[in-house]
Amino acid sequence: MNEYSDECLDIFLKNQGQLFNENVAENPEEAEAFLEDCMAAVIDTIDDVRSYLKESGMDVDGMEDADLEEASEVFALPSGKYLIVEG
C-alpha cells in the first residue's frame, strides 16, 4: 500500500524509542503496518504540526517551535516534513 515514504519508515524505525519503551516494529513492513494502525500523519510544516497537535487536544500555547520538534510524538524528517505518531 505504501502510504508512508521510505523516509518516514526509516526515521520511525531508527527513532521509535523516543515514543515507546520497546520497539513496536523491526522492519519497514511492520513499521508501515503500525503507522497505518495508529493513523500517523505526515505534516508539511512546523506551523501545521502546531495546528495538528492543538486540534488533537494538546496544549501547545506558548511552546516554541523547537519544543514542538522535541515532542515525543513528533519525528522530524530529513525532507523538512514531520511524522506525527500518537502513541
Side-chain angles (χ1 to χ4, degrees):
M1 204 163 133
N2 291 4
E3 180 178 344
Y4 299 97
S5 68
D6 290 341
E7 174 188 49
C8 288
L9 300 175
D10 184 49
I11 292 298
F12 179 72
L13 282 169
K14 287 180 182 173
N15 299 302
Q16 61 187 306
Q18 77 184 37
L19 184 58
F20 302 104
N21 291 331
E22 297 179 1
N23 286 350
V24 295
E26 296 296 327
N27 58 53
E29 294 79 20
E30 289 179 5
E32 184 164 30
F34 180 83
L35 294 174
E36 287 173 355
D37 286 348
C38 67
M39 296 184 289
V42 178
I43 308 294
D44 291 329
T45 67
I46 195 65
D47 289 334
D48 292 339
V49 169
R50 182 180 304 281
S51 296
Y52 181 94
L53 293 175
K54 189 171 189 170
E55 289 174 16
S56 296
M58 184 175 178
D59 182 10
V60 295
D61 293 335
M63 288 182 75
E64 300 289 331
D65 290 351
D67 296 329
L68 290 174
E69 289 179 343
E70 292 177 7
S72 60
E73 56 270 284
V74 177
F75 295 79
L77 303 174
S79 65
K81 294 183 179 188
Y82 298 88
L83 175 66
I84 299 180
V85 182
E86 296 187 60

